[in-house]
């Protein structure tokens, strides 16, 4: 971005209104240059005799998308909080709100974060009806820092302000008008004119000069406010126990209610500076940027290739995965041919798609009208005759190599030459899948995560022969269907399942040593995973675990832990959530409850494993349990990075967060490992390898990083040479 395109302009009209415009494409983010410019223009407007009032707006149809997040990265790198410009007191409170000339915000497009906070420092807000308003700062581990924690409750009331801040929930300006945040709505054509007239009417005392910070009429009594805040605290402790910004935000709001808006603004500024350099903010800002870099693929997105339009996709297999993939495509306006082997399976697949769409309507993420339109784009098929004009095929059948090979051999003959041939396999080598075809440049992995219409990750797997065009097209489709695409190399398990194969195996090892199944799940859930490894097995079903057992054994050799726990569980008539009985009992509408009757299966497993020293359970702390499950995962991530299966370490962070539910506020797997430190992880794994065997043996990559002190996430020297993910 050229510095010249980042600017604040001011035009003074014959009516005596200074129009101050923020220009920083694409969303007019508050870069330090913009903040300095705003201070200059406001100071000039206050000085000038020909200015009676001010209208603040944004260029290009958008007001302002908030503070420039790149500045946070600089603060995190240097630890220097003084890089954050003083906006709250010096500018919003003193120059805008307490200034001697009135300001009106003219809003369209969006006013988010610091952008919305600027509007609340104005004396009125005029907006187009569809503009998006919100304070999403908590998603970055901080709180609003330009007075938002104080002004929003005074404008919309405490309950709505808490909802908007703690849930980072956006509202339209239309709702903002109903809530008291917006003073008037108008069309984009009338926006500036209406705002100018409003500003002059305030200056001429024909409309009230409202300073948000001084208002108390929307906050309610002290006892009401305390009750609302206490309820919010309880809720935050439930849904965000490991995220300090939620409680901090409520503390700062309470300060303003107890001691007045000015005291609240001062506390907000202090707490904001503490949070911005805290570990949670560093982790969440890292994830924010990591997610935006996954679509940068060297040799693909930087070589002037243009994505081809993908209008029609065939999905082979209408089971859980196939129907989920089809749903994702349909809601994004892509026509789908669903192919099944017989009418019963086809009908079941179509029914599942309809059910998925109805579920999205219930969740509020799809309108009924769009659901009906999506269903019109679906066509069922029992043969390949409708494949003649498809742009892409996604195969989603069971993990059987001969079946996949015969499908790819058939579709190659029928589909057009430009058609991308994708497989949703989660483990099988793509070279094996496409072995019997002559179209290896078009063969690619499109590994969705279940349920495919909800889970946001799309692992795009390339082989040495996959063309850059096919990769670009699938990355583009991923973005269209609102997935986060991560391009990875071809190996057993690819990036996510390979990295996390020791996760389940480590938990089985701990059980064989006498550690309680439910204690393991509690420790892992407390760390921030959505559920523990045993509940995850119940929910995912045991079929996949059994299907990949031999594949992992062949691929990973001595570091693969042989365990027959799942075999014993299945033999006992348990199918996990599918039949309501696994490690847990599942009753409709109820929470899963530990099943005490599973203990005889676990005892049998321990007896057969014969791993307890002297036949007695080992004693481990919760931290030991956590480390013995996650450090082998980090160790495998090191191998994945060493072999250049991923383009960059941060891609593995995103894959772990979106694919496995690794806690976002810990920054992803590799980021978290770097906060723990390679030397510590290496020393622990070395110790356990001596006691428990090669499952824990440190990789050479981890060993080198531990000795050199170089972070695990730092690019390796050989990275440019042989990256499988960029082949």
């Amino acid at each position: 971005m050229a510095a010249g395109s980042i600017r604040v302009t001011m035009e003074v009209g014959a009516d005596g209104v200074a129009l101050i415009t923020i220009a920083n494409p694409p969303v007019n983010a508050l870069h330090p240059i913009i903040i300095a410019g705003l201070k200059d223009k406001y100071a000039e407007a206050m000085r000038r005799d020909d200015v009676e009032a001010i209208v603040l707006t944004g260029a290009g149809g958008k007001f302002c998308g908030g503070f420039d997040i790149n500045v946070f990265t600089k603060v995190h790198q240097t630890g220097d909080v003084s890089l954050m410009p003083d906006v709250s007191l010096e500018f919003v409170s003193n120059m805008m709100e307490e200034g001697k000339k009135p300001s009106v915000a003219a809003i369209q497009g969006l006013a988010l974060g610091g952008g919305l906070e600027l509007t609340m420092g104005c004396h009125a807000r005029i907006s187009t009806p569809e503009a998006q308003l919100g304070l999403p700062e908590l998603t970055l581990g901080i709180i609003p820092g330009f007075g938002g924690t104080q002004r929003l409750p005074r404008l919309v009331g405490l309950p709505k302000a808490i909802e908007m801040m703690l849930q980072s929930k956006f509202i339209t300006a239309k709702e903002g008008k109903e809530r008291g945040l917006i003073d008037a709505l108008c069309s984009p054509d009338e926006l500036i004119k209406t705002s100018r007239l409003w500003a002059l009417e305030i200056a001429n005392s024909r409309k009230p000069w409202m300073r948000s910070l001084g208002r108390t009429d929307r906050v309610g009594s002290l006892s009401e406010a305390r009750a609302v805040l206490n309820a919010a605290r309880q809720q935050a402790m439930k849904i965000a126990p490991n995220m300090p910004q939620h409680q901090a935000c409520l503390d700062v709001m309470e300060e303003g209610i107890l001691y007045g808006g000015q005291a609240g603004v001062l506390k907000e500024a202090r707490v904001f500076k503490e949070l911005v350099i805290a570990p949670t903010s560093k982790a969440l800002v890292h994830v924010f940027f990591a997610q935006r870099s996954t679509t940068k693929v060297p040799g693909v997105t930087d070589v002037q290739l243009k994505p081809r339009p993908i209008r029609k996709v065939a999905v082979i297999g209408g089971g859980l995965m196939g129907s989920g993939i089809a749903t994702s495509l349909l809601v994004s306006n892509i026509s789908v041919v669903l192919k099944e082997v017989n009418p019963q399976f086809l009908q079941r697949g179509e029914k599942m798609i309809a059910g998925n769409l109805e579920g999205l309507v219930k969740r509020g993420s799809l309108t009924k009208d769009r659901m009906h339109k999506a269903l019109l784009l679906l066509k069922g098929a029992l043969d390949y005759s409708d494949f003649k004009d498809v742009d892409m095929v996604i195969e989603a059948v069971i993990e059987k190599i001969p079946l996949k090979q015969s499908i790819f051999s058939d579709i190659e003959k029928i589909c057009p030459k430009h058609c991308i041939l994708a497989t949703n396999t989660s483990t099988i080598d793509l070279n094996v899948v496409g072995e019997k075809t002559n179209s290896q440049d078009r063969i690619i992995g499109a590994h969705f995560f279940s349920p495919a219409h909800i889970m946001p990750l799309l692992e795009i797997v390339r082989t040495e022969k996959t063309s850059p065009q096919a990769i670009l097209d699938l990355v583009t489709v991923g973005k269209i269907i609102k997935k986060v695409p991560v391009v990875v190399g071809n190996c057993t398990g690819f990036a996510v399942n390979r990295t996390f194969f020791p996760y389940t195996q480590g938990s089985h090892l701990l059980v064989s040593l006498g550690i309680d199944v439910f204690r393991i799940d509690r420790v892992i859930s407390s760390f921030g995973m959505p559920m523990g490894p045993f509940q995850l097995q119940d929910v995912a079903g045991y079929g996949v675990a059994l299907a990949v057992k031999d594949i992992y054994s062949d691929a990973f050799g001595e570091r693969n832990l042989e365990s027959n726990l799942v075999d014993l569980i299945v033999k006992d008539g348990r199918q996990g959530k599918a039949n309501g009985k696994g490690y847990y009992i599942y009753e409709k509408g109820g929470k899963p409850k530990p099943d005490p009757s599973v203990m005889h299966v676990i005892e049998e497993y321990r007896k057969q494993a014969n791993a307890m020293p002297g036949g007695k359970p080992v004693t481990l702390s919760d931290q030991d349990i956590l480390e013995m499950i996650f450090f082998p995962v980090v160790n495998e991530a090191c191998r994945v990075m060493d072999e250049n299966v991923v383009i960059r370490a941060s891609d593995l962070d995103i894959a772990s967060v979106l694919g496995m539910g690794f806690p976002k506020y810990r920054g992803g797997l590799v980021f978290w490992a770097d906060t723990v430190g390679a030397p510590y992880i290496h020393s622990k794994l070395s110790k356990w390898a001596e006691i428990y065997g090669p499952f824990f043996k440190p990789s050479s990559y981890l060993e080198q990083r531990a000795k050199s002190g170089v972070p695990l996430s730092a690019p390796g020297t050989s990275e440019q040479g042989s990256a499988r993910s960029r082949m």
Side-chain angles (χ1 to χ4, degrees):
M1 175 77 58
S5 64
I6 305 176
R7 64 188 191 280
V8 177
T9 60
M10 184 170 84
E11 293 170 35
V12 180
D15 57 357
V17 175
L19 179 66
I20 297 177
T21 305
I22 301 166
N24 181 10
V27 295
N28 300 326
L30 296 172
H31 185 279
I33 293 173
I34 294 287
I35 289 161
L38 282 169
K39 289 177 180 177
D40 286 349
K41 298 302 179 195
Y42 256 82
E44 186 188 333
M46 294 298 170
R47 278 196 314 268
R48 282 175 61 162
D49 294 334
D50 59 342
V51 173
E52 280 185 64
I54 296 161
V55 168
L56 178 63
T57 195
K62 294 183 178 77
F63 183 80
C64 171
F67 189 70
D68 187 340
I69 299 167
N70 291 294
V71 179
F72 293 146
T73 307
K74 284 178 190 150
V75 171
H76 295 155
Q77 284 163 353
T78 60
D80 183 2
V81 188
S82 69
L83 290 168
M84 298 294 302
D86 183 357
V87 179
S88 183
L89 274 169
E90 188 189 322
F91 181 58
V92 181
S93 286
N94 298 345
M95 292 183 86
M96 292 177 75
E97 195 168 47
E98 295 301 324
K100 58 184 188 211
K101 294 173 185 178
S103 293
V104 170
I107 305 163
Q108 61 177 320
L110 44 79
L112 304 175
L116 183 62
E117 291 178 282
L118 289 184
T119 74
M120 292 190 287
C122 293
H123 305 101
R125 286 151 294 285
I126 316 297
S127 181
T128 57
E130 300 311 313
Q132 294 286 307
L133 315 173
L135 295 178
E137 283 88 345
L138 273 75
T139 59
L140 295 174
I142 53 169
I143 60 171
F146 300 169
T149 61
Q150 305 306 307
R151 292 186 179 88
L152 190 62
R154 286 167 169 76
L155 289 165
V156 301
L158 199 52
K160 187 66 188 177
I162 288 171
E163 182 192 329
M164 285 176 71
M165 283 187 266
L166 266 65
Q167 295 177 30
S168 296
K169 199 169 180 183
F170 296 176
I171 61 170
T172 62
K174 188 168 177 279
E175 187 184 341
K177 169 78 168 66
E178 290 158 16
R179 299 276 180 185
L181 179 55
I182 298 297
D183 295 280
L185 299 170
C186 66
S187 70
D189 298 343
E190 297 288 311
L191 181 63
I192 299 301
K193 184 182 158 193
T194 306
S195 302
R196 294 181 93 105
L197 288 170
W198 201 289
L200 286 170
E201 290 198 304
I202 297 173
N204 297 324
S205 305
R206 287 199 291 274
K207 282 203 189 298
W209 192 313
M210 298 297 288
R211 293 180 176 90
S212 307
L213 201 59
R215 287 180 64 176
T216 54
D217 54 305
R218 299 300 305 274
V219 176
S221 71
L222 198 54
S223 61
E224 285 169 339
R226 277 207 161 121
V228 170
L229 285 163
N230 286 339
R233 278 186 212 288
Q234 298 300 319
Q235 180 70 356
M237 278 164 76
K238 260 192 226 160
I239 60 169
N242 298 316
M243 292 197 263
Q245 70 272 29
H246 288 70
Q247 298 295 343
C249 188
L250 294 166
D251 289 347
V252 169
M253 288 163 88
E254 186 169 39
E255 180 86 0
I257 285 157
L258 292 177
Y259 306 110
Q262 196 61 24
V265 164
L266 290 168
K267 179 161 183 168
E268 179 194 84
R270 198 166 63 247
V271 171
F272 177 88
K273 284 185 173 174
E274 288 164 9
L275 287 171
V276 86
I277 52 169
T280 306
S281 175
K282 289 177 184 172
L284 289 168
V285 170
H286 167 75
V287 169
F288 178 87
F289 284 111
Q291 189 164 322
R292 278 145 187 81
S293 61
T294 65
T295 51
K296 292 175 183 139
V297 185
V300 173
T301 56
D302 56 358
V303 291
Q304 274 71 58
L305 274 177
K306 283 200 167 70
R308 298 172 299 191
I310 305 287
R311 296 188 183 95
K312 188 175 178 183
V313 176
V315 177
I316 302 175
L320 188 66
M321 285 307 292
S323 60
I325 293 165
T327 306
S328 280
L329 295 160
L330 291 166
V331 296
S332 302
N333 221 22
I334 296 171
S335 296
V336 172
V337 176
L338 183 71
K339 155 83 171 64
E340 258 298 358
V341 290
N342 62 44
Q344 292 77 24
F345 282 9
L346 181 59
Q347 199 177 5
R348 189 193 65 177
E350 289 172 337
K351 211 171 168 184
M352 282 167 85
I353 291 167
N356 289 343
L357 291 167
E358 278 163 20
L360 292 172
V361 170
K362 276 182 194 154
R363 288 169 65 150
S365 51
L366 193 69
T367 63
K368 279 207 161 170
D369 181 50
R370 277 191 62 207
M371 178 183 94
H372 295 310
K373 280 180 181 162
L375 283 168
L376 292 173
L377 294 170
L378 175 65
K379 186 175 183 189
L382 295 172
D383 57 33
Y384 293 126
S385 54
D386 283 308
F387 282 43
K388 289 187 178 71
D389 62 344
V390 297
D391 302 305
M392 183 186 292
V393 176
I394 302 173
E395 166 274 305
V397 301
I398 53 172
E399 297 283 72
K400 289 198 173 160
I401 291 170
L403 175 62
K404 288 181 189 283
Q405 286 179 332
S406 74
I407 287 170
F408 274 78
S409 180
D410 290 342
I411 60 177
E412 181 192 27
K413 298 181 189 105
I414 293 154
C415 296
K417 292 281 178 245
H418 72 274
C419 178
I420 295 163
L421 310 176
T423 172
N424 178 55
T425 181
S426 57
T427 44
I428 301 167
D429 186 322
L430 264 64
N431 291 320
V432 175
V433 172
E435 202 174 83
K436 297 184 172 161
T437 72
N438 300 311
S439 306
Q440 313 250 332
D441 59 326
R442 295 192 274 152
I443 289 177
I444 195 163
H447 180 215
F448 290 79
F449 290 73
S450 186
H453 61 297
I454 291 168
M455 290 291 275
L457 184 67
L458 172 59
E459 211 174 13
I460 295 176
V461 190
R462 68 192 296 179
T463 71
E464 289 177 29
K465 292 173 182 167
T466 310
S467 72
Q469 185 69 58
I471 298 160
L472 179 66
D473 292 346
L474 191 47
V475 165
T476 308
V477 169
K479 289 196 276 191
I480 290 167
I481 65 174
K482 297 184 171 56
K483 302 294 178 198
V484 177
V486 175
V487 177
V488 301
N490 179 32
C491 62
T492 301
F494 315 131
V496 178
N497 286 338
R498 174 171 168 190
T499 298
F500 276 84
F501 92 83
Y503 179 69
T504 307
Q505 295 192 358
S507 65
H508 285 202
L509 174 68
L510 289 175
V511 172
S512 74
L513 294 170
I515 305 298
D516 177 55
V517 161
F518 306 111
R519 183 184 170 204
I520 294 167
D521 272 6
R522 280 195 305 275
V523 169
I524 299 303
S525 297
S526 299
F527 175 73
M529 295 295 281
M531 60 188 77
F534 293 100
Q535 195 187 334
L536 179 64
Q537 277 178 52
D538 275 357
V539 171
Y542 309 131
V544 175
L546 294 171
V548 301
K549 198 174 166 184
D550 292 340
I551 296 170
Y552 286 170
S553 180
D554 293 345
F556 303 132
E558 64 169 8
R559 70 178 188 276
N560 180 70
L561 184 89
E562 295 293 343
S563 162
N564 67 339
L565 178 54
V566 176
D567 304 77
L568 292 170
I569 286 278
V570 171
K571 195 176 163 191
D572 196 53
R574 296 168 188 270
Q575 293 170 28
K577 197 178 177 183
N579 76 342
K581 211 170 170 63
Y583 300 99
Y584 294 80
I585 296 166
Y586 298 85
E587 288 163 350
K588 208 169 180 183
K591 284 185 176 173
K593 293 186 194 103
D595 184 0
S597 73
V598 81
M599 288 317 293
H600 74 274
V601 183
I602 288 162
E603 289 307 330
E604 178 59 27
Y605 168 63
R606 284 177 182 149
K607 198 167 118 190
Q608 291 184 21
N610 193 24
M612 289 192 276
K616 291 195 174 142
V618 297
T619 305
L620 295 173
S621 69
D622 286 358
Q623 188 175 337
D624 292 332
I625 291 171
L626 183 74
E627 291 175 356
M628 287 176 89
I629 284 177
F630 274 114
F631 287 3
V633 177
V634 171
N635 198 25
E636 197 59 34
C638 288
R639 293 186 181 96
V640 164
M641 291 186 289
D642 195 27
E643 294 169 27
N644 294 311
V645 173
V646 288
I647 295 168
R648 50 187 82 80
S650 64
D651 283 359
L652 210 42
D653 286 330
I654 286 300
S656 69
V657 168
L658 301 181
M660 284 300 297
F662 192 87
K664 196 176 184 179
Y665 55 83
R666 297 193 191 277
L669 180 70
V670 186
F671 184 93
W672 170 74
D674 274 334
T675 65
V676 175
Y680 178 78
I681 296 170
H682 179 265
S683 70
K684 285 289 195 155
L685 286 169
S686 301
K687 184 181 107 180
W688 298 327
E690 280 177 34
I691 305 168
Y692 304 113
F695 173 72
F696 290 108
K697 188 184 172 188
S699 64
S700 56
Y701 181 100
L702 177 61
E703 195 167 345
Q704 286 158 9
R705 296 294 167 108
K707 281 178 186 165
S708 64
V710 175
L712 295 173
S713 57
T717 47
S718 66
E719 192 186 33
Q720 294 302 323
S722 61
R724 289 195 203 179
S725 51
R726 10 164 148 238
M727 289 176 295

